[in-house]
Amino acid sequence: MPKTPITVARGDGIGPEIMEACLRVLEAAGAELEYEFVTIGEQVYESGNTSGITPEFWESIRRTKVFYKAPLTTPQGKGYKSINVTIRKTLSLYANVRPVRTSEPFIETLHPAMDVVIIRENEEDLYAAIEHRQTDEVYQCLKLITRPGSERLIRYAFEYALANNRKKITCMTKDNIMKLTDGLFHKVFDEVAEEYPSVETDHLIIDIGTARVADTPEAFDMIVLPNLYGDIVSDVTAQLSGSVGLGRSANIGEKMAMFEAIHGSAPDISGRGIANPSGLLNAGVMMLIHVGQSEIAEKIENAYLKTIEDGIHTVDIYDPSRSKVRVSTDEFADAVIERLGQKPQVLAPVSYANGRNVQTSFPLKNANPATRDLHGIDVFLFWDEGDRDPDELGEALSQANTDKLQLTMITNRGLKVYPQGAPETFCTDHWRCRFEPETDGGTSQQDIITLLQSVHDAGFDIIKTENLYSFDGQFGFSLGQGQ
Ligand code: NAD
């Protein structure tokens, strides 16, 4: 078999120790890999490069398309960018895949039957990190959810379910509140689900969903979520499994992929040779499946499970009542190598040999363009007069109405305060003022410009605007709370 080239970063802190141990296991198992080592992280940051990434890394990953990455240290302080976020977004690694399985009774956990795969969207949502300070009191972060981004991720989740014999996918959102953004993710989930009738599906609101994951994670098979919720839920499941040292993750793109442990560079134990290499080793198993070396992947994971079962444990999972020997990073790798070819007797062995690779690239079917009509505009004002009485603002602002566009509503932090607000409502210095046509005869860009000139001439401080559109006749904006 020709060797598959992969890009490897030894990482920072415990990174070089655990990467060395993992590569030894991969070699001993007969993995057909050719390594291109790259330096990213602390050393690159220290050379004054705030991205932490060198051009050589980009050249290498574009050539190999597979990245095996040990943890990196992100220096504290301003100006340093997270390498993970940069790599994920630049290479469009859209799906973060985290399988979590427990190893009871050998590693302590309250949830022995947990066996769940989290698939988290990796590029969008609040992690677009488009943030602005708008007034003395108000800051905003834009939450972007896209149809192609959601559809690609959700299709990948269903394909993963088929390839890995998973029976059920639960989607979690907060679409009772965020009806447009989270509503889109949920809607796309329902649409794609129809094409996979053999996979059972379910949707939970994220708050009760997270509570149930924390309480009974064994009730879940696969969970697919937007970025922020996925970040939180995947850490909850990792923590419930027993040790962060065990967690593995794959970042999957259409053409490229990155495999890593979920933990960081653990500077508190670095250089002591005691770190647990399991998370990175199991990420290596995912990588071998990805490059079509499933038999070797299976051999390594079964030897790993046998090692755990034989009570050979690193310090983070060592427990005198469950463990037999406390070993170093290198000794753990030696123990796995000794067991290559063996299967666990108590823990369930894995079987990947007949597995098929998960499709990562899809023709996106549901992106039909809609007829988009301009309806009106939300004008955001900084206004801090007197007692911040919404009626006073509404009456003054109505003077700026034009023939085409009239003030129909003012909200403060999303709650309608004019007309007919409640006297108890606390108001900040940030007001969203909605202007709409009296009759739905259509609004032009010129109508918007005329209105903004009028609002400006009336002495108001415009901090931002947001056009209101309808798509195929359906309003593409939310109503004010209480409207
Ligand atoms: P961490 O995961 O490095 O460590 C948290 C705790 O878990 C520490 O007590 C550590 O000793 C322990 N631990 C972690 N991995 C272990 C292992 N394999 N074996 C045994 N014990 C282990 O998290 P942190 O301390 O918050 O972050 C340290 C650095 O890592 C920071 O610079 C952070 O930015 C970075 N980080 C990188 C990644 C990544 O590269 N993917 C992820 C998280 C954090």
Side-chain angles (χ1 to χ4, degrees):
M1 191 195 290
K3 293 195 170 197
T4 306
I6 63 166
T7 302
V8 178
R10 291 194 177 92
D12 303 317
I14 59 169
E17 302 160 39
I18 57 173
M19 181 56 88
E20 196 53 44
C22 293
L23 294 183
R24 277 204 301 119
V25 176
L26 265 55
E27 285 291 317
E32 297 287 347
L33 301 172
E34 190 179 298
Y35 307 121
E36 286 191 14
F37 290 98
V38 290
T39 303
I40 57 174
E42 224 167 6
Q43 279 181 45
V44 181
Y45 286 124
E46 279 166 9
S47 73
N49 177 339
T50 52
S51 77
I53 308 177
T54 57
E56 290 73 39
F57 166 74
W58 297 113
E59 283 162 27
S60 175
I61 183 67
R62 289 193 174 107
R63 205 166 32 239
T64 66
K65 312 210 181 322
V66 182
F67 183 30
Y68 193 29
K69 173 178 155 289
L72 303 166
T73 300
T74 311
Q76 301 284 319
K78 291 203 164 146
Y80 296 111
K81 303 277 188 307
S82 155
I83 290 178
N84 255 357
V85 176
T86 307
I87 293 177
R88 279 178 201 160
K89 286 189 165 184
T90 308
L91 302 179
S92 262
L93 306 180
Y94 64 86
N96 189 281
V97 183
R98 284 194 189 185
V100 186
R101 219 167 61 143
T102 58
S103 300
E104 258 276 329
F106 306 102
I107 300 174
E108 188 180 7
T109 168
L110 293 173
H111 301 282
M114 171 167 65
D115 178 4
V116 61
V117 180
I118 312 287
I119 299 206
R120 159 192 168 195
E121 197 286 316
N122 225 3
E123 298 179 279
E124 309 192 336
D125 194 356
L126 292 162
Y127 289 59
I130 304 173
E131 295 190 292
H132 298 94
R133 178 175 180 178
Q134 296 186 322
T135 65
D136 285 336
E137 294 175 351
V138 177
Y139 298 67
Q140 78 164 15
C141 177
L142 282 185
K143 172 164 167 133
L144 295 178
I145 302 276
T146 74
R147 181 173 262 283
S150 304
E151 190 181 333
R152 185 159 67 159
L153 175 86
I154 289 164
R155 284 189 184 282
Y156 177 82
F158 278 94
E159 286 293 325
Y160 184 99
L162 294 187
N164 291 280
N165 205 20
R166 296 267 164 181
K167 307 285 181 239
K168 181 173 177 184
I169 307 182
T170 304
C171 172
M172 295 188 192
T173 69
K174 187 81 182 172
D175 67 343
N176 54 334
I177 303 292
M178 283 160 281
K179 295 182 165 62
L180 290 180
T181 48
D182 282 19
L184 173 66
F185 193 89
H186 185 177
K187 188 164 170 236
V188 172
F189 178 75
D190 287 346
E191 285 170 9
V192 174
E194 283 186 15
E195 296 175 37
Y196 295 85
S198 64
V199 182
E200 199 187 328
T201 57
D202 188 15
H203 174 270
L204 288 175
I205 298 293
I206 185 64
D207 38 10
I208 189 64
T210 311
R212 290 211 190 137
V213 168
D215 185 52
T216 44
E218 56 277 11
F220 295 89
D221 192 5
M222 281 181 65
I223 308 174
V224 63
L225 316 94
N227 206 341
L228 176 62
Y229 310 143
D231 198 0
I232 296 165
V233 170
S234 58
D235 269 21
V236 171
T237 51
Q239 185 69 32
L240 292 174
S241 77
S243 164
V244 286
L246 304 174
R248 61 179 100 179
S249 110
N251 294 272
I252 301 288
E254 283 194 357
K255 297 195 177 71
M256 298 183 187
M258 172 168 85
F259 300 87
E260 60 180 340
I262 64 159
H263 59 76
S265 56
D268 52 338
I269 57 166
S270 123
R272 293 168 55 195
I274 58 169
N276 188 345
S278 301
L280 190 60
L281 183 64
N282 286 322
V285 166
M286 294 173 91
M287 177 176 73
L288 286 168
I289 297 170
H290 179 82
V291 300
Q293 300 185 30
S294 303
E295 280 180 36
I296 295 162
E298 180 181 310
K299 189 157 114 185
I300 294 174
E301 189 162 348
N302 282 330
Y304 157 78
L305 291 169
K306 183 78 171 73
T307 308
I308 294 291
E309 191 176 279
D310 287 347
I312 299 171
H313 294 170
T314 44
V315 64
D316 56 316
I317 54 170
Y318 185 80
D319 170 350
S321 65
R322 296 165 189 265
S323 312
K324 292 214 174 71
V325 201
R326 188 165 64 188
V327 289
S328 68
T329 311
D330 280 344
E331 287 163 346
F332 186 84
D334 291 340
V336 176
I337 291 169
E338 270 168 37
R339 286 164 181 75
L340 287 168
Q342 298 182 31
K343 287 190 175 168
Q345 305 297 311
V346 180
L347 296 171
V350 295
S351 167
Y352 299 131
N354 299 322
R356 64 176 175 86
N357 233 324
V358 186
Q359 189 181 338
T360 55
S361 175
F362 311 94
L364 300 178
K365 293 185 183 159
N366 298 316
N368 300 331
T371 303
R372 184 165 58 95
D373 293 312
L374 187 56
H375 169 74
I377 186 165
D378 279 347
V379 181
F380 291 73
L381 300 180
F382 167 72
W383 188 74
D384 192 20
E385 304 283 314
D387 297 333
R388 298 184 180 171
D389 174 3
D391 287 336
E392 187 188 328
L393 173 61
E395 275 148 37
L397 191 58
S398 297
Q399 307 301 314
N401 285 346
T402 62
D403 292 346
K404 291 287 178 61
L405 289 166
Q406 280 91 49
L407 179 69
T408 55
M409 171 186 79
I410 300 175
T411 68
N412 200 291
R413 293 187 297 171
L415 179 80
K416 185 181 74 122
V417 293
Y418 175 88
Q420 290 156 356
E424 298 82 7
T425 305
F426 171 73
C427 290
T428 68
D429 57 7
H430 180 274
W431 308 80
R432 187 256 306 253
C433 309
R434 177 160 291 177
F435 289 86
E436 294 172 281
E438 206 160 10
T439 54
D440 200 8
T443 300
S444 68
Q445 293 284 352
Q446 185 55 54
D447 296 338
I448 299 274
I449 292 165
T450 307
L451 173 80
L452 293 179
Q453 187 67 53
S454 172
V455 171
H456 171 75
D457 290 346
F460 289 99
D461 186 351
I462 300 171
I463 52 175
K464 92 165 199 163
T465 65
E466 195 78 51
N467 285 356
L468 306 175
Y469 291 103
S470 66
F471 293 82
D472 290 339
Q474 300 241 324
F475 283 159
F477 48 90
S478 56
L479 298 179
Q481 189 76 36
Q483 195 182 15

